[in-house]
Amino acid sequence: MSKDSSKDSSTFEWSDLDQRAVDVIRALAMDAVEEAGSGHPGTAMSLAPAAYLLFQRFLRHDPTDPNWPGRDRFVLSAGHTSLTLYIQLYLSGYGLSLQDLKSLRKWGSLTPGHPEYGHTAGVETTTGPLGQGVGNAVGMAMATRRERGLFDPDAESGKSLFDHNIWVFASDGDMEEGISHEAASLAGHQRLGNLTMLYDDNHISIEDDTKIAFSEDVVKRYEAYGWHVQRVDWTEGGAYHENVEALARAYSAALAETERPSFIALRTIIGWPAPTKQNTGKAHGSALGAEEVAETKRVLGLRPDKSFDVPDDVLQHARKAVERGREMHAEWNKRFVAWRAANPERAAEYDRISARRLPDGWQKKLPEFEPGKDLATRAASGQVLSAIGPVLPELWGGSADLAESNNTTMKGEPSFIPGDLGTGSFPGNRYGRTLHFGVREHAMGAILNGIAVHNGTRPYGGTFLVFSDYMRPAVRLAALMRLPVTYVWTHDSIGLGEDGPTHQPVEHLWSLRAIPGLDVVRPADANETAIAWQTILEHTDRPAGLCLTRQQVPTFDRSQVASAGGVARGGYVLADAGNGAPQVILIATGSEVQLAMAARDTLEAAGTPTRVVSMPCVEWFLGQDESYRQTVLPSAVRARVSVEAGIALGWRQFIGDTGESVSLEHFGASSDHRTLYEQFGITPERVVAAARSSLIRSGIGGRGHTTGN
């Protein structure tokens, strides 16, 4: 994919107004942190020329329409230096004001400590945990290619409406975090020629000189990944010289390289030109102090007694970005109108997908599973994906090298891969649909976020539930950004069996349920799995994790129990008491619902009216109104049992003071799943015993005895 650009470094000009704008940026960075009393001024000061050059000369953007689909994307992976972005948004005309810069890191401001997607116009993704932005940028670059394949696959290289560039600024900290290694490795393998990363190689972190912990040759590492690499050293020759023209040449060379992602290592001095705090850890993460700020302004030729001072001529010069952006946008719009006229069907699909609207009648493609046949929910999920894939082209994804286990490959769909890298098992092309993340769960999470935030496609990614731990920072950010990312987490309990406790999740379900805004969905059978997928896809404002079994589970006869449609409400009465007036309620999820059903048979036969509630998604259930929740879990029925093969941490809110939990409060073991359930007391007999105990505690029935582990 071409990085088409009209920029020509041979005609590069750097005026006095440009230099003054850069110096004003440095002063604003110092002033904003002083006003806030905390923050990170140093990198915003030293990256001022690089950011200004990008926003004024190379970035294709329209400040008056931050959501213009044809824009380039800019990701500040080093989110702590948020002022690097905020000041460019202010100067370029995105609507930020000087008052917003004065309100840095304060309550209710548009300038929080780290950039937040959806909060501030011009912020493309939420960055904070270092390295996440690198993964997001890789995902955006992949999404660009996929969307081109959906809407304009036959266009000449570099001539498509959907060709644009992804720029990312990264720091030493980003380079150290493992996620950036994973993401950069995959980007090189995918030959993402529309991706350029600027590495701010300043050798300073919070603990001062990075040589205390970091000494590898990062450029050689990126060469090994298959990136196009360049060095620009502003310390070359011993004196510090901000050679902006050399950086402009590097930007141009990166745009000209269309077959590989580009990496520019820019050697800077953090905090330049602060007299005593430049090149120190103090400049990285704290206010410089009034005296140092004043002295720095004197060095820059600015008035030391003035704060947040932006001369009108400097601001008007920088605001020319608005005019340039509108011109580029208008030209793109002309081409967009022509494309729509020539491609009405693709245009209609583009409109639908960009708005995240599902096509009419798509639910008819959902499979219905016959009762009486045992099927693992991971297998049912795979069948759902293959069934709905043809009518939902926006849905794409894959696995962290576990496709066969996760069942994440849609039948007949090519892999997303440069054509010569396909294999006998996975042939594909650059516009393919099946993603292969390799053993890179951490990067997979961030890449999925980048795909989702880029435009309208719906990504999913699979691994074992236990390895959601590797993904957790990205999952948390997906919830924070309200992105519709789907995680296919299989092997969801000790039921995975022989691999043993290292692979058997115990605490994970409730740990994930603790993330605000994440839906954790654990269906009981194949038909619940189908409705779970339907419900997840109908939600466009939050991520979801499907927790699926390795072992086979029975497919319930829906003529004998409630419809699986109740899954959409998070919890529903699967089987009510025989007399319609339950004395005890069994609440179960996933593979343990069958145990609750077996226990119900025993209790009913013994004269105890028993209701079974399947609760695949706590979050969806809690989102229902109180009247519905009461119909499922009436407060008058105090005898309750929760049944889940994991810790019972959060079930008390549903079972109350007299309830019991059949759970697993320790790690598992290596054995077949049937033996494990028996040895650890997760059995129908144990559920029956817990029900009788809860009945006694709630004041129903006489004193009795319980059995079980």
Side-chain angles (χ1 to χ4, degrees):
M1 185 180 299
S2 172
K3 293 178 176 179
D4 180 47
S5 173
S6 60
K7 311 303 179 294
D8 181 356
S9 62
S10 66
T11 61
F12 177 77
E13 294 181 359
W14 189 253
S15 68
D16 176 65
L17 272 175
D18 290 321
Q19 186 57 52
R20 287 175 59 204
V22 167
D23 291 340
V24 166
I25 291 168
R26 300 188 213 272
L28 288 174
M30 292 186 292
D31 290 341
V33 175
E34 287 298 310
E35 178 73 19
S38 65
H40 299 76
T43 301
M45 295 168 68
S46 54
L47 278 184
Y52 178 83
L53 176 67
L54 179 62
F55 272 75
Q56 293 292 321
R57 302 284 202 280
F58 288 88
L59 191 71
R60 181 168 66 174
H61 64 128
D62 179 359
T64 65
D65 185 0
N67 297 316
W68 168 34
R71 72 193 184 280
D72 290 346
R73 301 327 194 248
F74 173 75
V75 176
L76 184 67
S77 190
H80 57 273
T81 180
S82 55
L83 284 164
T84 296
L85 176 55
Y86 294 151
I87 296 173
Q88 294 307 318
L89 296 179
Y90 159 65
L91 289 177
S92 298
Y94 277 81
L96 283 186
S97 66
L98 271 180
Q99 184 57 48
D100 291 318
L101 298 181
K102 292 178 182 178
S103 300
L104 177 74
R105 302 167 72 92
K106 294 180 180 177
W107 174 260
S109 77
L110 291 174
T111 50
H114 292 77
E116 296 180 19
Y117 170 73
H119 183 73
T120 308
V123 172
E124 299 282 7
T125 184
T126 298
T127 54
L130 288 171
Q132 288 287 332
V134 173
N136 293 169
V138 172
M140 291 176 183
M142 293 167 68
T144 303
R145 196 165 88 193
R146 172 65 180 165
E147 290 165 21
R148 188 192 206 274
L150 285 174
F151 307 124
D152 202 17
D154 302 321
E156 183 182 343
S157 180
K159 303 300 182 182
S160 172
L161 288 163
F162 302 95
D163 288 340
H164 54 259
N165 304 313
I166 312 300
W167 299 82
V168 56
F169 278 14
S171 63
D172 286 305
D174 290 285
M175 295 301 102
E176 293 174 46
E177 287 285 3
I179 186 174
S180 70
H181 299 243
E182 295 181 20
S185 171
L186 186 59
H189 182 73
Q190 285 284 355
R191 302 174 190 161
L192 299 175
N194 59 337
L195 173 64
T196 298
M197 184 189 306
L198 177 81
Y199 161 40
D200 178 28
D201 182 18
N202 65 38
H203 296 196
I204 295 294
S205 64
I206 291 175
E207 294 185 1
D208 208 66
D209 196 320
T210 55
K211 73 180 180 181
I212 197 68
F214 186 50
S215 57
E216 75 235 33
D217 189 327
V218 176
V219 170
K220 287 184 179 178
R221 172 151 59 86
Y222 274 76
E223 285 179 347
Y225 291 148
W227 289 53
H228 166 242
V229 303
Q230 302 175 79
R231 283 187 189 270
V232 177
D233 188 351
W234 285 349
T235 68
E236 195 171 24
Y240 193 63
H241 170 53
E242 292 179 329
N243 189 341
V244 181
E245 185 173 359
L247 182 57
R249 288 196 299 270
Y251 282 170
S252 293
L255 288 170
E257 172 55 62
T258 63
E259 297 302 319
R260 294 176 292 172
S262 292
F263 182 82
I264 302 169
L266 176 64
R267 178 68 171 100
T268 65
I269 290 179
I270 195 170
W272 179 266
T276 68
K277 292 188 178 179
Q278 63 176 268
N279 205 34
T280 67
K282 295 297 183 184
H284 174 94
S286 59
L288 298 183
E291 184 176 342
E292 184 81 358
V293 170
E295 287 302 313
T296 306
K297 287 180 180 179
R298 290 189 182 98
V299 171
L300 293 171
L302 303 175
R303 289 185 56 175
D305 59 330
K306 297 191 72 173
S307 295
F308 296 98
D309 183 29
V310 182
D312 288 341
D313 59 343
V314 168
L315 183 60
Q316 293 306 312
H317 182 65
R319 288 283 165 87
K320 289 180 181 178
V322 170
E323 181 181 347
R324 288 191 295 270
R326 284 174 171 166
E327 289 176 357
M328 289 186 287
H329 194 166
E331 176 59 30
W332 185 90
N333 280 345
K334 291 179 183 177
R335 297 170 56 213
F336 186 58
V337 170
W339 170 80
R340 294 183 69 89
N343 301 274
E345 291 184 3
R346 283 178 176 162
E349 196 77 323
Y350 170 82
D351 292 342
R352 182 187 66 78
I353 291 174
S354 297
R356 292 200 173 114
R357 292 195 310 268
L358 296 168
D360 294 339
W362 75 275
Q363 304 95 327
K364 296 176 183 177
K365 295 293 184 180
L366 288 166
E368 293 186 13
F369 297 90
E370 295 183 5
K373 181 180 179 180
D374 290 357
L375 187 68
T377 53
R378 63 168 176 162
S381 173
Q383 291 185 37
V384 171
L385 283 172
S386 292
I388 64 177
V391 295
L392 296 178
E394 64 267 41
L395 184 63
W396 62 310
S399 174
D401 198 52
L402 290 167
E404 186 174 346
S405 293
N406 296 150
N407 295 105
T408 49
T409 303
M410 297 178 186
K411 288 183 180 179
E413 293 291 347
S415 294
F416 179 90
I417 192 75
D420 62 308
L421 296 179
T423 67
S425 298
F426 292 102
N429 59 69
R430 62 201 324 269
Y431 297 144
R433 189 173 189 177
T434 301
L435 290 169
H436 302 273
F437 296 99
V439 189
R440 301 184 182 98
E441 292 92 348
H442 200 176
M444 177 174 72
I447 289 168
L448 293 171
N449 288 350
I451 292 172
V453 83
H454 183 266
N455 196 14
T457 63
R458 296 288 296 265
Y460 63 86
T463 187
F464 291 174
L465 178 57
V466 75
F467 300 135
S468 63
D469 284 343
Y470 285 164
M471 303 172 62
R472 191 178 182 90
V475 174
R476 185 176 185 273
L477 285 170
L480 186 61
M481 289 189 275
R482 303 174 69 87
L483 299 179
V485 176
T486 303
Y487 311 104
V488 182
W489 288 320
T490 68
H491 297 57
D492 67 346
S493 72
I494 58 169
L496 70 89
E498 292 83 353
D499 276 345
T502 62
H503 282 51
Q504 294 167 358
V506 175
E507 75 278 21
H508 295 73
L509 290 168
W510 277 109
S511 174
L512 290 163
R513 287 171 181 145
I515 298 177
L518 173 68
D519 296 336
V520 179
V521 191
R522 192 167 184 246
D525 74 348
N527 286 306
E528 279 202 3
T529 304
I531 301 300
W533 264 112
Q534 176 184 339
T535 308
I536 287 169
L537 291 172
E538 288 173 345
H539 294 160
T540 62
D541 61 349
R542 55 194 186 271
L546 267 171
C547 303
L548 306 171
T549 68
R550 178 199 185 201
Q551 75 274 27
Q552 294 185 344
V553 293
T555 303
F556 296 120
D557 184 347
R558 296 291 165 170
S559 68
Q560 303 299 313
V561 297
S563 163
V567 168
R569 306 191 81 165
Y572 67 105
V573 178
L574 177 65
D576 207 354
N579 64 359
Q583 290 184 344
V584 62
I585 300 174
L586 311 179
I587 310 167
T589 77
S591 51
E592 286 72 72
V593 173
Q594 61 178 308
L595 307 182
M597 290 293 287
R600 173 184 176 275
D601 290 343
T602 300
L603 289 164
E604 286 272 336
T608 302
T610 304
R611 170 180 291 181
V612 172
V613 169
S614 176
M615 192 174 290
C617 184
V618 166
E619 294 79 18
W620 296 346
F621 183 72
L622 292 176
Q624 304 302 311
D625 57 47
E626 176 64 21
S627 62
Y628 175 77
R629 296 200 305 270
Q630 279 292 320
T631 65
V632 177
L633 299 176
S635 54
V637 183
R638 299 177 62 230
R640 302 180 184 185
V641 179
S642 66
V643 191
E644 188 170 70
I647 62 171
L649 184 66
W651 285 115
R652 184 59 61 186
Q653 65 181 309
F654 298 105
I655 63 174
D657 294 338
T658 61
E660 297 275 354
S661 288
V662 175
S663 63
L664 192 69
E665 306 298 327
H666 51 77
F667 293 120
S670 179
S671 183
D672 67 276
H673 73 274
R674 291 182 180 84
T675 299
L676 291 172
Y677 274 79
E678 289 176 2
Q679 291 297 317
F680 294 142
I682 304 176
T683 63
E685 292 77 16
R686 177 68 185 89
V687 177
V688 169
R692 289 173 174 159
S693 174
S694 183
L695 283 162
I696 292 171
R697 294 178 63 187
S698 63
I700 299 176
R703 295 183 62 83
H705 65 277
T706 63
T707 60
N709 296 357

